[in-house]
Amino acid sequence: MAISNDTGSAPGPAPGGGVAGRILVVDDDPTVSEVVAGYLQRAGFTVHRAADGPAALEAAARHRPDLVVLDLMLPGMDGLEVCRRLRANGNATHTLPVVMLTARGDEEDRILGLEVGADDYVTKPFSPRELVLRVRSVLRRASTVLPEDEPGLAAAGLSVDPAARRATKDGAELALTLREFDLLAYFLRHAGQVCDRERLMRDVWGWDFGDLSTVTVHVRRLRAKIEEDPADPQLIRTVWGAGYRFEAGPHPSDRSRTATATATATATGPGTDDGRA
């Protein structure tokens, strides 16, 4: 059993006595699944359960949960593959928040979980109370109501509509997860500023402490979706020893055209006949 002793009571129900949301719990250990479901239900959530990957994908499509609590170690199709399929472009579930359960000490697995799109993770053995609080934190970020009159954000070929939670690059819509969207919007709001990982974790994730590799992995995922060359990022620049800075200057393609024009002008030189009178 991978649940720690927890003498504290489960967090109370949703404010106002209403249902806090629908949660899909995916774990092949029936004891863990039952305990987690019990804590979530006492906190006001409606809970559905699945014991393997195919059942999880079917339940996600049928019940349309607000969040998935997903065990990494599942028989057959593991949690990474389940998360990857939930996140696949074109799926109705591609923005569905995912909290992954991983074994303590398996940092590589935790990073892989974040790489395939998990929004958060909890390490085993875990406190069910902590898990409920993490679930609430992720859902709170997902359901944050933004002012309807908040202007759209645009820079370097990117456009973000915070109210509609829609982002485009050069007019093409971007398939971003919850955290990726929030991170991009934050960078655009703070263009030109150096943002360290602690600040990003606090302002984007809403955590005062946590594993900073979560931020690193999400920045890498976001770069893969918005940069011309993620290996040489020009938009989200790393400021060594300080954090990241979003460059709101010319679009990378504009810089390429400028560089080409400069190279051509240098090659022709002032004394070269370039065909002009």
Side-chain angles (χ1 to χ4, degrees):
M1 183 170 173
I3 301 177
S4 66
N5 293 328
D6 188 352
T7 57
S9 59
V19 175
R22 297 182 306 278
I23 308 296
L24 174 61
V25 175
V26 185
D27 199 305
D28 63 318
D29 185 326
T31 303
V32 173
S33 180
E34 182 177 352
V35 171
V36 169
Y39 266 75
L40 289 166
Q41 286 167 342
R42 287 194 292 276
F45 294 98
T46 297
V47 180
H48 302 281
R49 292 195 277 170
D52 57 41
L57 295 174
E58 190 275 333
R62 177 158 46 96
H63 298 299
R64 303 297 295 269
D66 299 301
L67 181 144
V68 178
V69 175
L70 177 63
D71 187 29
L72 178 64
M73 301 301 295
L74 295 172
M77 184 189 302
D78 65 15
L80 292 175
E81 181 59 25
V82 173
C83 190
R84 189 177 291 111
R85 295 192 185 192
L86 289 172
R87 287 284 183 254
N89 289 346
N91 278 1
T93 57
H94 80 273
T95 61
L96 179 62
V98 174
V99 174
M100 191 164 282
L101 303 179
T102 69
R104 186 177 298 280
D106 292 345
E107 182 179 1
E108 182 177 349
D109 286 340
R110 293 200 299 272
I111 290 176
L112 284 173
L114 295 170
E115 287 280 12
V116 298
D119 296 280
D120 194 4
Y121 65 85
V122 177
T123 55
K124 297 181 179 181
F126 61 89
S127 155
R129 178 180 172 82
E130 177 193 356
L131 176 59
V132 172
L133 293 174
R134 288 295 186 96
V135 165
R136 281 184 171 172
S137 173
V138 173
L139 286 175
R140 186 165 54 248
R141 299 292 299 182
S143 61
T144 298
V145 177
L146 297 167
E148 293 184 359
D149 59 350
E150 181 177 4
L153 306 167
L158 294 164
S159 178
V160 170
D161 182 342
R165 297 195 70 83
R166 182 173 182 267
T168 61
K169 177 185 178 183
D170 297 333
E173 187 152 3
L174 295 169
L176 302 179
T177 67
L178 166 70
R179 296 296 189 196
E180 291 165 358
F181 182 92
D182 289 344
L183 188 58
L184 176 58
Y186 190 85
F187 276 133
L188 287 174
R189 289 189 186 102
H190 300 86
Q193 298 180 20
V194 176
C195 303
D196 61 35
R197 293 189 299 170
E198 290 85 355
R199 172 181 171 182
L200 291 171
M201 176 159 283
R202 181 178 63 253
D203 293 351
V204 177
W205 275 258
W207 307 341
D208 290 325
F209 61 89
D211 185 351
L212 295 179
S213 66
T214 299
V215 177
T216 305
V217 172
H218 277 81
V219 168
R220 185 159 61 238
R221 284 179 53 84
L222 182 57
R223 281 171 168 166
K225 296 181 179 183
I226 70 171
E227 297 280 1
E228 297 292 331
D229 179 6
D232 182 26
Q234 300 299 312
L235 298 175
I236 304 176
R237 306 295 293 269
T238 297
V239 181
W240 296 109
Y244 305 100
R245 183 181 62 244
F246 183 83
E247 299 287 1
H251 189 279
S253 61
D254 296 334
R255 283 192 289 268
S256 298
R257 286 192 291 269
T258 300
T260 301
T262 301
T264 301
T266 302
T268 58
T272 302
D273 183 6
D274 59 3
R276 291 177 296 179

